[in-house]
């Protein structure tokens, strides 16, 4: 077998899963440290997968996909006709993170979310960070996500962001935060669904690795929300507010409501009376204490925000201001995950915590600054340019993948409103093996752990690991055709 | 329980019951297709369509021709109309799709197993057309669909917590069933009046539609007398498709869901009144007087419709002003 890799172990059978796998030193590989040399903690996984017949693996993949379709684990992509109810592609080769790495990630995330909550309390309160000149005032007050209505509102425990889903990427230089996602982050149900499918598919290996459990996420979420309840209510009534079945993440809303054992409500199920929020039940109205909302700020309350919203509850914000109901996340958190504010998060951490940030930021150029604008325009073909208020991979330019005409058009857009754009270098996102028609091939991945903050900060040892399924692509967003895979965090 | 969830459960079972009933009608009609004359078939098709309150595509039923080929072609069209016609709101596929859509809305209150069985049922027929099921052994589509629907209710039976949600599922099912049975009996008397010479098979097939043929033979007689058959289907306490049985289940479920709901006595009273009329008025009727029987059936059916409105107004879309907090 002249082409088979030499590893010292038993030579893998011909046509084995990793026979054609090309290790690429430009990118950190999550599984291999060199061609055909798996990392220590991935060796058992590699052995098992490489020993499986291609049909076995294909069957495993097919079973996982079928279970997703049957359970209705689907999402919708906007702007695509007939695209309702596509399953989110799952890749059956798990990604493994060792204990030390996870510990580092966890500490970094706790630090970051603590600082961000202090930041939000500050900018909606006295604004010390602004008067101290750490962050430009106009950047905050001019940000469309800044909700002037939130000024002076007392937020329980000062927790604006009870849930976030931070996007992390790994390069040869280590982990970096790509985005904070502090509004209504989604993906946690896919994390749990991927886990369900993979535990069934690779049961023996799963036990052998003693993969750390993530299934108690629902409990933690409920506990977190209970801790935020207005006044000390022993058994607060918690609901999850969804825009409805046509929302791309409806499956997740349903899933979380069930995991937590709370009602899944739509705007029309709720009403505000005498400053309290009630839901319509078959035995009359019932008071609601905590709303885990999956509806954007704009649509929460037609009386306070967008008047044409059909998804919200008239008067909800009034009840919230009175402190009679808690909305998680609080309205107005979007200002802290604005892409230009993002550039200041390391400063925010230093300012409030007097600590050095553990997790690095991606080098970001703000086009609002003349230097940043000039640099961005001069280097468009090497940069990723994003609009500050967008998310989900919409409205961005990936320089190296663009044509000169696209770059010209984009540059004109930038010049129209420079403050609306930032640019970042193209990151060498790490790769992990994914199942393709040609066996395992490297694909770029990131990960999104979910951080909960109530009386304390909690997270389960796991994440939604997103995969760019197209060879060479760096865009992992589900809305742009990305998929997911299970992430195994190992015990110490 | 959230009103919208109760409403969702109620409509899941209404739509599934409707689809199941539609399948049963076609299945029994197919049995007749095997060995009956065209004129006889015409009448049973007519019974079927009248009971659904529907005009077949292209207008009137009835061929008046002794041409078997024509009839088969016709059955093909009618099957398509009943199973897949997009403009027929009550076609089997539309009912299954509507049930599933309701289930999607309330997925957090039904188990994964219930959802999966309904989802698979829908996915299985999403892209079917009449030629796909016609090529198969005739009728197997309708038999299999009924099996799947019964599977759904079986899972519900074995997995659901018996709280209000369960009772709304029951309510939807039996409100729908009671309406079907009154409509079917009314259509039967329209097409096969009791004072004309009756063909036993037309009455036997009626019992078959209600899963009552064997029970009738065992409990009543082997003589399928119209009056006795109608009476059995209306008032038997133990027959799961009798009107009496449905009304009793409706009353039982209303008792539970209205326990803490003083405003909701209207629906409960109405159900009780109809059930009582079966006890006290029904036995006194003249079984040969079709007009009187049909009038009684009509009033039961009307009451069932009102019952639906009562339930809606008491539990789903009530006025906030009247509501205890």
């Amino acid at each position: 077998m002249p082409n088979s890799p030499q590893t010292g172990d038993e030579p893998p059978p011909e046509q084995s899963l990793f026979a054609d796998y090309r290790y690429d030193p430009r990118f950190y590989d999550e599984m291999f440290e060199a061609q055909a040399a798996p990392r220590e903690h991935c060796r058992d996984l590699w052995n098992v997968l490489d020993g499986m017949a291609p049909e076995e693996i294909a069957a495993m993949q097919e079973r996982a996909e079928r279970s997703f379709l049957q359970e209705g684990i689907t999402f919708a992509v906007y702007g695509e006709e007939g695209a309702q109810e596509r399953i989110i592609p799952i890749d059956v080769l798990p990604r493994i993170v060792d204990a030390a790495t996870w510990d580092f990630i966890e500490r970094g995330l706790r630090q970051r979310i603590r600082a961000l909550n202090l930041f939000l309390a500050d900018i909606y309160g006295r604004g010390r960070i602004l008067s101290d000149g750490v962050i430009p005032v106009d950047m905050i007050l001019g940000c469309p996500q800044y909700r002037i209505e939130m000024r002076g509102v007392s937020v329980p425990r000062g927790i604006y962001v009870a849930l976030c889903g931070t996007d992390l990427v790994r390069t040869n230089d280590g982990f970096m935060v790509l985005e904070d996602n502090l509004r209504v982050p989604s993906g946690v149900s896919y994390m749990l669904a991927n886990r369900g499918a993979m535990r069934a598919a690779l049961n023996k290996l799963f036990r052998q690795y003693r993969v750390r459990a993530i299934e108690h996420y629902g409990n933690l979420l409920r506990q977190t929300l209970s801790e935020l309840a207005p006044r000390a209510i022993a058994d607060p009534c918690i609901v999850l507010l969804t825009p409805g079945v046509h929302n791309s993440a409806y499956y997740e809303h349903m899933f979380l409501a069930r995991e937590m054992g709370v009602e899944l409500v739509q705007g029309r199920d709720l009403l505000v009376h005498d400053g309290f929020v009630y839901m319509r039940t078959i035995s009359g109205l019932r008071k609601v204490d905590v709303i885990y909302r999956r509806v954007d700020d704009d649509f929460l309350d037609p009386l306070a925000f967008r008047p044409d919203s059909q998804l919200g509850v008239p008067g909800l914000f009034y009840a919230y201001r009175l402190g009679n109901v808690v909305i998680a996340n609080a309205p107005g958190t979007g200002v802290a995950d604005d892409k230009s504010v993002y550039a200041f998060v390391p400063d925010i951490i230093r300012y409030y915590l007097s600590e050095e940030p553990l997790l690095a930021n991606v080098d970001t150029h703000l086009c609002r600054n003349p230097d940043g604008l000039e640099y961005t325009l001069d280097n468009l073909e090497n940069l990723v340019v994003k609009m500050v208020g967008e998310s989900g991979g919409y409205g961005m330019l990936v320089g190296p993948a663009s044509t000169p005409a696209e770059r010209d058009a984009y540059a004109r857009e930038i010049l129209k409103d420079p403050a609306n754009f930032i640019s970042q270098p193209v990151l060498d996102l790490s790769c992990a093996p994914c199942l393709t028609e040609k066996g395992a091939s490297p694909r770029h991945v990131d990960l999104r752990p979910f951080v909960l903050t109530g009386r304390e900060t909690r997270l389960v040892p796991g994440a939604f690991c997103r995969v760019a399924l197209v060879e060479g692509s760096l865009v992992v967003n589900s809305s742009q055709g990305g998929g997911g895979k299970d992430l195994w965090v190992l015990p110490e | 329980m959230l009103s919208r969830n109760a409403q969702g459960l109620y409509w899941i079972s209404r739509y599934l019951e409707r689809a199941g009933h539609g399948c049963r009608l076609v299945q029994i009609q197919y049995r007749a297709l095997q060995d009956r004359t065209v004129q006889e078939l015409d009448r049973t098709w007519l019974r079927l369509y009248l009971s659904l309150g529907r005009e077949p595509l292209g207008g009137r039923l009835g061929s008046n021709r002794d041409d078997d080929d024509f009839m088969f072609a016709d059955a093909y069209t009618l099957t398509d109309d009943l199973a897949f016609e997009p403009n027929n709101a009550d076609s089997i596929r539309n009912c299954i799709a509507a049930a599933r859509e309701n289930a999607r809305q309330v997925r957090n209150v039904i188990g994964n197993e219930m959802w999966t069985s309904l989802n698979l049922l829908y996915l299985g027929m999403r892209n079917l057309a009449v030629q796909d099921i016609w090529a198969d052994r005739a009728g197997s589509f309708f038999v299999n669909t009924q099996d799947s629907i019964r599977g759904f209710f079986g899972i519900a039976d074995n997995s659901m917590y018996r709280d209000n949600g369960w009772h709304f599922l029951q309510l939807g099912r039996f409100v729908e069933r009671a309406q079907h049975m009154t409509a079917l009996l009314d259509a039967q008397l329209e097409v096969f009046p009791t004072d004309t010479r009756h063909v036993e098979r037309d009455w036997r097939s009626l019992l078959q539609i209600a899963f009552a043929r064997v029970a009738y033979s065992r409990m009543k007689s082997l003589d399928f007398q119209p009056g006795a058959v109608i009476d059995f289907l209306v008032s038997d306490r133990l027959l799961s498709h009798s009107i009496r049985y449905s009304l009793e289940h409706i009353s039982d479920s209303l008792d539970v869901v209205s326990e803490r709901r003083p405003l909701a006595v209207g629906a409960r009273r109405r159900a009780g009144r109809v059930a009582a009329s079966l006890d006290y008025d029904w036995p006194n009727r003249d079984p040969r007087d079709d007009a009187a029987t049909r009038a009684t059936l009509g009033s039961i059916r009307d009451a069932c419709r009102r019952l639906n409105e009562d339930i809606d107004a008491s539990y789903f879309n009530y006025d906030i002003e009247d509501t205890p907090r």
Side-chain angles (χ1 to χ4, degrees):
Chain A
M1 283 188 290
N3 290 330
S4 75
Q6 299 300 307
T7 60
D9 288 306
E10 238 176 89
E14 221 166 344
Q15 285 308 311
S16 72
L17 185 62
F18 292 100
D20 288 332
Y21 192 84
R22 288 282 155 264
Y23 171 80
D24 186 340
R26 283 179 300 158
F27 308 110
Y28 184 93
D29 193 300
E30 300 288 343
M31 190 160 177
F32 294 92
E33 49 196 4
Q35 177 67 32
R39 295 177 189 279
E40 178 66 38
H41 63 271
C42 297
R43 200 152 291 165
D44 290 341
L45 174 67
W46 177 77
N47 272 328
V48 168
L49 291 175
D50 218 39
M52 286 168 84
E55 307 84 63
E56 242 180 304
I57 296 184
M60 190 164 93
Q61 175 77 34
E62 205 239 304
R63 263 199 308 276
E65 282 171 11
R66 201 173 45 213
S67 77
F68 272 37
L69 186 63
Q70 283 178 10
E71 271 201 46
I73 306 177
T74 52
F75 74 108
V77 177
Y78 299 113
E80 204 177 304
E81 215 177 312
Q84 286 212 350
E85 295 195 42
R86 257 187 10 198
I87 69 163
I88 187 152
I90 172 175
D91 179 81
V92 291
L93 311 183
R95 168 178 175 186
I96 303 184
V97 170
D98 60 37
T101 307
W102 181 257
D103 180 61
F104 170 76
I105 293 176
E106 189 169 329
R107 279 185 296 124
L109 290 171
R110 284 172 189 274
Q111 177 195 50
R112 201 167 168 102
I113 195 62
R114 221 173 107 217
L116 286 168
N117 268 315
L118 289 169
F119 168 69
L120 284 161
D122 188 18
I123 58 169
Y124 287 119
R126 289 168 52 205
R128 275 171 42 222
I129 198 167
L130 305 178
S131 45
D132 288 349
V134 179
I135 297 183
V137 178
D138 65 318
M139 194 168 92
I140 298 300
L141 299 187
C143 172
Q145 305 302 325
Y146 184 80
R147 300 284 168 195
I148 195 84
E149 301 87 343
M150 283 296 290
R151 286 288 288 276
V153 175
S154 143
V155 172
R157 296 181 191 278
I159 304 301
Y160 285 76
V161 181
L163 317 95
C164 74
T166 312
D167 287 339
L168 295 174
V169 295
R170 187 186 230 173
T171 67
N172 278 322
D173 302 328
F175 281 98
M176 290 181 182
V177 175
L178 194 63
E179 276 178 25
D180 286 297
N181 297 313
L182 307 173
R183 299 173 224 185
V184 282
S186 61
V188 74
S189 60
Y190 304 132
M191 166 179 91
L192 293 162
N194 286 342
R195 172 57 56 87
M198 292 318 299
R199 202 185 26 214
L202 291 172
N203 185 277
K204 208 170 141 207
L205 197 60
F206 188 84
R207 277 181 298 170
Q208 190 181 325
Y209 265 116
R210 296 190 297 130
V211 177
R212 291 179 66 189
I214 55 174
E215 285 78 0
H216 54 298
Y217 179 84
N219 286 354
L220 295 188
L221 177 57
R222 179 162 183 159
Q223 196 178 344
T224 299
L225 294 170
S226 306
E227 288 168 4
L228 298 176
R231 296 178 273 275
I233 301 173
D235 186 17
C237 174
I238 302 171
V239 298
L240 195 159
L241 175 63
T242 173
V245 288
H246 300 296
N247 186 267
S248 66
Y250 179 74
Y251 169 79
E252 174 155 312
H253 306 162
M254 179 289 295
F255 178 89
L256 288 175
R258 214 172 49 186
E259 286 293 300
M260 288 194 285
V262 305
E263 293 290 0
L264 178 66
V265 302
Q266 301 180 8
R268 58 193 162 112
D269 298 322
L270 299 180
L271 60 109
V272 176
H273 186 76
D274 287 346
F276 287 89
V277 180
Y278 295 91
M279 67 175 163
R280 194 184 261 276
T281 77
I282 56 163
S283 34
L285 299 183
R286 178 164 176 213
K287 195 161 94 207
V288 172
D289 304 306
V290 181
I291 299 176
Y292 172 28
R293 52 86 174 228
R294 297 294 297 256
V295 172
D296 288 338
D297 284 1
D298 273 342
F299 298 98
L300 269 182
D301 178 353
L303 300 181
F305 306 113
R306 267 177 69 159
D308 59 341
S309 168
Q310 305 276 314
L311 306 173
V313 186
L316 177 60
F317 193 69
Y318 169 67
Y320 179 68
R321 280 193 72 109
L322 290 177
N324 291 335
V325 69
V326 169
I327 303 174
N329 290 339
T333 53
V335 62
D337 73 2
D338 180 271
K339 289 184 170 64
S340 47
V341 176
Y342 161 87
F344 289 90
V345 174
D347 294 331
I348 289 173
I349 293 173
R350 290 186 198 103
Y351 183 82
Y352 292 107
L353 307 180
S354 308
E355 293 171 7
E356 273 306 302
L358 295 170
L359 292 167
N361 246 28
V362 180
D363 206 11
T364 303
H365 304 276
L366 304 178
C367 296
R368 59 188 289 120
N369 301 333
D371 297 353
L373 178 62
E374 193 185 328
Y375 178 84
T376 302
L377 292 175
D378 289 349
N379 296 283
L380 265 188
E381 69 277 19
N382 303 316
L383 295 171
V384 177
V385 191
K386 299 174 179 172
M387 292 163 84
V388 295
E390 289 288 338
S391 61
Y394 292 97
M396 64 190 252
L397 175 85
V398 180
S402 62
T403 62
E406 282 168 349
R407 285 198 292 277
D408 285 348
Y410 208 86
R412 280 195 296 278
E413 290 299 313
I414 296 176
L415 284 169
K416 274 188 211 157
D417 183 11
N420 197 25
F421 293 86
I422 56 115
S423 66
Q424 295 172 335
V426 177
L427 294 175
D428 297 327
L429 257 57
S430 64
C431 287
C434 291
L435 190 64
T436 67
E437 282 168 4
K438 295 179 284 185
S441 297
R443 291 287 184 269
H444 293 295
V445 292
D446 77 350
L447 74 160
R448 177 180 287 185
F450 298 90
V451 187
L452 301 170
T453 309
R455 193 178 294 150
E456 54 183 277
T457 298
R458 309 178 172 95
L459 59 167
V460 293
F464 178 36
C465 174
R466 299 188 298 174
V467 185
L469 290 172
V470 179
E471 190 168 2
S473 166
L474 291 166
V475 184
V476 294
N477 302 75
S478 321
S479 46
Q480 310 286 325
K485 60 161 68 206
D486 195 15
L487 183 96
W488 291 4
V489 176
L490 304 185
E492 284 168 36
Chain B
M1 158 159 258
L2 207 58
S3 292
R4 190 171 44 79
N5 287 344
Q7 192 174 18
L9 288 163
Y10 176 80
W11 280 103
I12 290 174
S13 60
R14 282 204 68 164
Y15 280 120
L16 285 182
E17 182 69 23
R18 193 173 298 176
H21 180 68
C23 287
R24 183 71 181 169
L25 289 175
V26 179
Q27 183 199 349
I28 299 302
Q29 179 68 17
Y30 273 21
R31 275 191 207 165
L33 278 182
Q34 292 160 5
D35 60 350
R36 316 234 8 214
T37 66
V38 173
Q39 283 80 4
E40 286 174 329
L41 286 175
D42 266 358
R43 280 198 292 276
T44 46
W45 275 118
L46 185 61
R47 170 179 74 188
L48 191 159
Y49 267 88
L50 276 178
S51 78
L52 295 177
R54 181 170 171 77
E55 286 273 295
L57 279 184
R60 231 173 45 80
L61 273 170
S63 62
N64 298 328
R65 279 205 260 163
D66 279 323
D67 180 351
D68 280 356
D69 286 344
F70 174 82
M71 195 57 224
F72 271 119
D74 205 35
Y76 183 88
T77 318
L78 296 177
T79 300
D80 187 26
D81 180 47
L82 294 169
F84 303 120
E85 170 57 40
N87 295 320
N88 177 3
D90 294 335
S91 75
I92 310 294
R93 180 163 55 204
N94 280 343
C95 284
I96 300 292
R100 175 178 177 269
E101 199 48 42
N102 276 285
R104 222 148 80 87
Q105 296 264 5
V106 300
R107 259 199 77 178
N108 57 320
V109 293
I110 59 174
N112 259 344
E113 293 77 10
M114 283 168 73
W115 162 258
T116 306
S117 85
L118 186 47
N119 192 31
L120 285 179
L121 174 59
Y122 169 75
L123 293 177
M125 69 172 66
R126 182 175 47 169
N127 298 320
L128 281 186
V130 65
Q131 58 268 31
D132 303 320
I133 67 166
W134 199 257
D136 221 3
R137 201 167 57 79
S140 63
F141 167 81
F142 298 97
V143 174
N144 295 339
T145 303
Q146 281 179 82
D147 280 347
S148 300
I149 292 171
R150 283 193 286 265
F152 175 87
F153 283 118
I155 295 168
D157 255 349
N158 284 290
S159 66
M160 264 184 103
Y161 190 62
R162 296 299 197 263
D163 62 356
N164 288 327
W166 159 258
H167 286 286
F168 276 100
L169 205 64
Q170 296 292 95
L171 277 175
R173 192 176 186 188
F174 287 107
V175 166
E176 185 74 20
R177 187 177 290 178
Q179 293 193 24
H180 286 316
M181 285 311 294
T182 50
L184 178 64
L185 296 181
D186 190 61
Q188 175 83 9
L189 290 173
E190 162 98 34
V191 182
F192 307 106
T194 50
D195 54 1
T196 55
R197 196 178 68 80
H198 71 271
V199 181
E200 192 179 282
R201 294 170 66 174
D202 294 326
W203 290 86
R204 201 163 57 202
S205 66
L206 178 70
L207 285 163
Q208 282 170 338
I209 292 171
F211 301 89
R213 220 271 299 153
V214 174
Y216 180 88
S217 305
R218 202 149 51 92
M219 308 308 295
K220 298 286 179 188
S221 98
L222 289 174
D223 182 12
F224 299 95
Q225 277 296 329
V229 170
I230 294 267
D231 181 57
F232 190 62
L233 293 176
V234 169
S235 67
D236 192 87
R237 276 180 189 279
L238 303 180
L239 179 69
S240 66
H241 279 68
S242 78
I243 293 171
R244 157 62 119 319
Y245 188 91
S246 293
L247 287 170
E248 282 181 1
H249 272 71
I250 293 169
S251 299
D252 290 349
S253 286
L254 282 174
D255 277 342
V256 177
V257 297
S258 59
E259 200 176 21
R260 286 166 42 209
R261 185 101 176 93
L263 292 175
V265 292
R268 177 65 188 84
R269 269 193 206 133
R270 194 183 303 279
R273 228 171 4 236
V274 186
S277 80
L278 290 186
D279 276 332
Y280 301 108
D281 302 336
W282 177 260
N284 295 332
R285 86 196 194 290
D286 175 3
R288 283 157 305 181
D289 182 354
D290 283 0
T293 306
R294 290 181 67 186
T296 307
L297 289 171
S299 70
I300 296 175
R301 197 172 178 201
D302 204 40
C304 287
R305 282 205 197 103
R306 296 260 181 85
L307 209 50
N308 178 60
E309 289 160 17
D310 289 340
I311 291 171
D312 192 85
S314 310
Y315 300 100
F316 309 152
N317 294 308
Y318 50 80
D319 284 339
I320 303 301
E321 301 305 320
D322 312 336
T323 306
R325 277 188 274 278

